[in-house]
Amino acid sequence: MRIICIGRQFGSGGHEIALRVGQQLGIPVYEKNILHLACKYGGLAVKTLEDADEKATNPYLYRVVCEGNHHVPRGLPTSEVLFALQSHEIRRIAAQEDCIFVGRCADFVLRDTDARLLRVFASAPFETRIQRKMDQEQLSHSRAVRLVRRMDRQRSKYREHYTGLSWNDPAGWDLMLDTSVLSIEQAADEVAARYLAL
């Protein structure tokens, strides 16, 4: 299978790029829905794990998961349980269909599989991302700054915690896109062209 894995700085447009590429290529996009599939696989309510989505475990403050079915590793923090369940679902889906995964360290999860991976990272300068979030969510500048900083820190820690890899290291990606230079449409066209060449 051919799989696109998209990492993204918050506010860079990675979500929009994924949706547009999915439409162009006629392949599904998995993002937040991986959380729902993971919870279904583990026999857990979404509310049990949703706060742990794309977050590294805080070694000083975490909840342990004690419910669920036999697929749920016992006695681990919610973030560790969710990563294990999501990883299972990512591998299951990647073995069955061409698709796009947004975040969730999918490129790392699939590194030892037979899938042909296109690893994409979407980024943009800080102020560009601030402005995008201000426009999208009608936030003040100061609130947008705090949100972008918090989400970038969260995503960076998440990737480093589960993969040991730096989030924005170019060596970890096949294609890096700066969405202050490329429009979402141009970025999507570039990803689709690289995917078709896999």
Side-chain angles (χ1 to χ4, degrees):
M1 298 300 164
R2 293 182 295 178
I3 309 294
I4 300 171
C5 301
I6 299 180
R8 72 278 185 232
Q9 289 181 319
F10 189 71
S12 65
H15 169 77
E16 293 88 348
I17 292 168
L19 293 180
R20 186 171 286 271
V21 173
Q23 286 179 335
Q24 281 183 326
L25 298 174
I27 60 176
V29 176
Y30 293 95
E31 189 171 11
K32 192 76 171 178
N33 46 356
I34 289 288
L35 167 65
H36 296 269
L37 292 170
C39 289
K40 183 178 178 183
Y41 175 67
L44 295 164
V46 171
K47 66 181 169 90
T48 303
L49 297 179
E50 65 187 345
D51 287 342
D53 195 24
E54 286 201 288
K55 291 179 183 169
T57 300
N58 180 336
Y60 305 108
L61 179 66
Y62 60 84
R63 264 185 335 125
V64 172
V65 178
C66 299
E67 63 260 31
N69 62 27
H70 64 281
H71 298 301
V72 176
R74 297 292 168 206
L76 293 180
T78 53
S79 54
E80 302 291 330
V81 169
L82 181 56
F83 187 78
L85 296 175
Q86 283 183 331
S87 295
H88 174 274
E89 287 301 291
I90 288 167
R91 284 189 290 267
R92 178 186 65 79
I93 292 164
Q96 296 175 353
E97 62 183 353
D98 295 348
C99 64
I100 301 168
F101 292 110
V102 180
R104 283 118 192 122
C105 300
D107 59 301
F108 183 80
V109 170
L110 297 173
R111 70 195 183 285
D112 294 326
T113 68
D114 293 332
R116 289 180 286 163
L117 301 180
L118 175 60
R119 302 167 305 155
V120 178
F121 189 73
S123 65
F126 187 67
E127 280 303 322
T128 302
R129 296 184 291 123
I130 297 298
Q131 189 61 54
R132 182 175 280 138
K133 283 296 150 188
M134 288 172 63
D135 295 343
Q136 285 177 339
E137 300 182 26
Q138 280 68 61
L139 298 175
S140 67
H141 185 269
S142 61
R143 286 189 65 198
V145 165
R146 287 194 301 272
L147 177 62
V148 170
R149 282 189 177 142
R150 178 171 58 83
M151 293 301 294
D152 275 355
R153 190 167 48 249
Q154 179 181 304
R155 288 179 179 175
S156 177
K157 283 182 181 176
Y158 175 78
R159 183 166 177 85
E160 289 178 15
H161 177 77
Y162 287 106
T163 70
L165 303 171
S166 175
W167 186 42
N168 54 6
D169 180 358
W173 306 100
D174 303 310
L175 178 63
M176 296 190 77
L177 302 167
D178 182 341
T179 56
S180 70
V181 176
L182 298 170
S183 68
I184 297 298
E185 295 77 13
Q186 291 170 323
D189 288 346
E190 180 66 27
V191 174
R194 293 284 287 270
Y195 169 85
L196 292 172
L198 278 177

